[in-house]
Amino acid sequence: MKKMRWLLLVIMLPLLSGCNGIAKNFGGTTTIDLPQNKKLVNITWKDSDLWYLTRDIKPEEKPETYTFKEESNYGVKSGTVIINEH
């Protein structure tokens, strides 16, 4: 029984190594807080990595929160990424 637990841990550990990958591959929610005075421009996935482009916030702009939702074709999983500007 202990060997089975260790085997399961060894198999699952790479899958659980990043919250972004979990949200993308298994559904769930991950939140990213952008650095102070940064504005979100674009966001994309490359494999299990989440890449986002930012720029400096302009004086007339206010910080916003963005919610990106993924819906699978089969409705089995859905992931959410929340981006907070400050």
Side-chain angles (χ1 to χ4, degrees):
M1 190 65 161
K2 283 186 177 185
K3 285 186 179 184
M4 183 65 102
R5 285 187 209 157
W6 278 105
L7 180 59
L8 185 60
L9 179 63
V10 168
I11 291 170
M12 293 299 292
L13 193 57
L15 298 174
L16 299 175
S17 62
C19 294
N20 296 336
I22 292 172
K24 180 176 187 251
N25 296 321
F26 301 105
T29 301
T30 189
T31 301
I32 297 173
D33 290 313
L34 295 182
Q36 191 76 23
N37 298 320
K38 290 295 180 181
K39 184 82 176 158
L40 180 67
V41 175
N42 199 354
I43 188 168
T44 189
W45 290 102
K46 176 159 174 57
D47 301 320
S48 290
D49 297 324
L50 186 63
W51 286 78
Y52 48 94
L53 174 65
T54 63
R55 64 169 172 78
D56 291 339
I57 243 175
K58 297 175 183 168
E60 68 276 5
E61 294 178 319
K62 294 185 178 181
E64 298 179 81
T65 297
Y66 301 92
T67 303
F68 296 89
K69 292 190 64 79
E70 177 260 347
E71 297 291 332
S72 74
N73 293 336
Y74 305 104
V76 176
K77 66 174 184 170
S78 61
T80 302
V81 177
I82 299 169
I83 309 286
N84 293 316
E85 297 174 342
H86 300 277

